């Protein structure tokens, strides 16, 4: 009977932010503006890295891939949400919801691994500068990017498979503005304890594992910087890491609050605002953070503007 009810569910209704009817048009304009800024900013970052030969290094190879990932990450959610706010059409098909969850989990998980990889890259550059290009070979960089996407694919397959194996009977309103894992689990008509434990275990291990790589890498980086003889060399070394540190704090801070603590799946309504931050705002801010805090990128940007 449960399986029959499950197969009959043909669509869901996304009710996130629906309690504010007077602001729907403003939400649509806000989401649309942020998405345009996200795409333009990240495309500009990709073009700057590709066209300036001085930026053809492992660090900017990862930054270029991060910008591509941010465009995909934001594109999975933001355009559809903006259109739903504008037109009031909040329904999403069963397969559309599953697809959105799959790609959201894929790109979100991959971004966490990317940030860990970029932390390791900075560790190699600052702690072993003479061996940097030997350690961070082109082959290793490509393998690290591929490994990040593979890890994301494994996680999104687990999360989407477990979630959509649940029966959904009658209640179809998802208390979110996109098909987020915890919010979809919350409307199932069966016991979801196993799914919540799987989400906590898998997402928690990914967040804690990648965060450990980041913390260990930056621990060694800070020790190495403090041991440098001159203030100028310390400032130069720190400036290459500062933008990445800001991005790490923004991303891991919000994601840890959402997925690495018990109770995330039981109260999805509190996650709407936080979700806007890590799905829409952070991809928009990343190119500005790396441009404003990085001398090499600013120099390359000035060259392009002169041309």
């Amino acid at each position: 009977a449960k399986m029959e009810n499950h197969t009959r569910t043909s669509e869901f209704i996304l009710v996130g932010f629906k309690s504010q009817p007077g602001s729907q048009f403003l939400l649509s304009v806000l989401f649309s503006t942020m998405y345009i800024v996200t795409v333009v900013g990240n495309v500009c970052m990709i073009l700057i890295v590709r066209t300036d030969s001085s930026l053809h290094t492992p660090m900017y190879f990862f930054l270029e891939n991060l910008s591509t990932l941010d465009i995909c990450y934001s594109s999975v959610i933001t355009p559809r949400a903006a259109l739903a706010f504008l037109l009031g059409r909040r329904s999403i098909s069963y397969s559309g919801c599953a697809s959105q969850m799959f790609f959201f989990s894929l790109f979100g998980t991959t971004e966490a691994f990317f940030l860990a990889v970029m932390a390791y890259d900075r560790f190699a550059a600052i702690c072993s500068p003479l061996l940097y290009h030997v350690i961070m070979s082109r082959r290793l960089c490509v393998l690290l990017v591929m490994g990040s996407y593979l890890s994301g694919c494994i996680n999104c397959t687990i999360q989407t498979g477990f979630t959509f194996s649940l029966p959904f009977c009658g209640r179809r309103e998802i208390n979110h503005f996109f098909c987020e894992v915890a919010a979809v689990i919350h409307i199932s008509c069966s016991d979801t304890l196993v799914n919540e434990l799987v989400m906590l275990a898998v997402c928690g291990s990914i967040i804690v594992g990648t965060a450990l790589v980041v913390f260990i890498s930056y621990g060694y980086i800070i020790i190495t910087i403090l041991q440098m003889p001159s203030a100028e060399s310390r400032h130069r070394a720190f400036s290459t890491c500062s933008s990445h540190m800001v991005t790490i704090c923004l991303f891991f801070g919000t994601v840890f609050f959402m997925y690495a603590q018990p109770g995330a799946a039981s109260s999805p309504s509190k996650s709407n605002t936080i979700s806007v931050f890590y799905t829409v705002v952070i991809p928009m801010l990343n190119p500005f953070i790396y441009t404003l805090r990085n001398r090499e990128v600013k120099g390359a940007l000035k060259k392009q503007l002169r041309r």
Side-chain angles (χ1 to χ4, degrees):
K2 287 184 177 180
M3 183 59 68
E4 185 180 356
N5 286 331
H6 170 62
T7 54
R8 285 180 180 175
T9 303
S10 59
E11 66 177 15
F12 299 102
I13 301 173
L14 302 169
V15 296
F17 296 120
K18 197 173 182 178
S19 59
Q20 306 164 17
S23 61
Q24 297 302 295
F25 177 74
L26 291 177
L27 280 172
S28 177
V29 172
L30 180 62
F31 271 57
S32 299
T33 303
M34 288 193 292
Y35 179 66
I36 292 170
V37 173
T38 299
V39 173
V40 172
N42 283 287
V43 167
C44 287
M45 180 63 71
I46 293 169
L47 293 175
I48 289 170
V49 173
R50 288 192 175 185
T51 55
D52 195 299
S53 59
S54 65
L55 301 182
H56 292 174
T57 63
M59 173 183 174
Y60 295 105
F61 171 74
F62 294 128
L63 183 55
E64 179 187 348
N65 279 277
L66 179 65
S67 293
T68 303
L69 185 66
D70 279 339
I71 294 172
C72 298
Y73 190 34
S74 184
S75 297
V76 172
I77 297 165
T78 314
R80 196 188 188 287
L83 196 61
F85 294 141
L86 181 64
L87 302 178
R89 297 176 184 172
R90 293 173 172 269
S91 62
I92 183 171
S93 67
Y94 183 86
S95 58
C97 188
S99 299
Q100 188 180 60
M101 182 184 294
F102 180 89
F103 288 107
F104 159 73
S105 300
L106 169 63
F107 297 131
T109 305
T110 304
E111 179 141 350
F113 279 94
F114 265 17
L115 293 175
V117 166
M118 293 172 74
Y120 176 74
D121 171 72
R122 291 299 83 207
F123 159 76
I126 293 173
C127 299
S128 303
L130 298 178
L131 297 174
Y132 175 60
H133 289 287
V134 176
I135 297 171
M136 300 303 296
S137 64
R138 181 72 178 181
R139 181 174 178 273
L140 178 62
C141 291
V142 172
L143 287 175
L144 288 172
V145 170
M146 292 174 63
S148 297
Y149 274 104
L150 177 62
S151 302
C153 191
I154 292 172
N155 179 50
C156 70
T157 301
I158 293 172
Q159 296 293 348
T160 308
F162 266 78
T163 300
F164 283 89
S165 65
L166 292 170
F168 300 96
C169 330
R171 185 184 173 195
R172 298 180 295 128
E173 291 188 348
I174 299 174
N175 190 11
H176 221 298
F177 63 94
F178 70 97
C179 289
E180 193 265 343
V181 180
V184 177
I185 289 175
H186 192 65
I187 67 168
S188 174
C189 57
S190 67
D191 183 11
T192 61
L193 178 61
V194 173
N195 291 75
E196 292 180 30
L197 291 176
V198 168
M199 185 184 74
L200 182 63
V202 176
C203 293
S205 62
I206 290 171
I207 295 167
V208 172
T210 52
L212 275 176
V213 173
V214 170
F215 292 148
I216 293 171
S217 298
Y218 274 102
Y220 280 105
I221 288 170
I222 291 171
I223 293 172
T224 303
I225 290 175
L226 292 176
Q227 292 175 344
M228 291 179 176
S230 67
E232 183 182 352
S233 58
R234 288 194 296 270
H235 176 74
R236 189 184 306 112
F238 181 76
S239 66
T240 64
C241 302
S242 58
S243 56
H244 186 238
M245 291 173 67
V246 172
T247 303
I248 285 171
C249 291
L250 291 174
F251 183 83
F252 280 102
T254 54
V255 171
F256 182 85
F257 183 85
M258 283 293 300
Y259 297 108
Q261 59 171 337
S266 61
S267 54
S269 59
K270 70 179 182 180
S271 68
N272 280 272
T273 303
I274 300 168
S275 297
V276 171
F277 196 74
Y278 71 82
T279 59
V280 183
V281 177
I282 292 178
M284 178 186 69
L285 291 179
N286 277 347
F288 295 100
I289 293 171
Y290 281 100
T291 301
L292 297 175
R293 303 285 299 174
N294 191 299
R295 291 181 181 179
E296 292 176 328
V297 174
K298 285 193 286 187
L301 179 59
K302 288 177 181 177
K303 286 183 192 176
Q304 296 301 322
L305 291 175
R306 285 196 218 104
R307 291 178 183 176

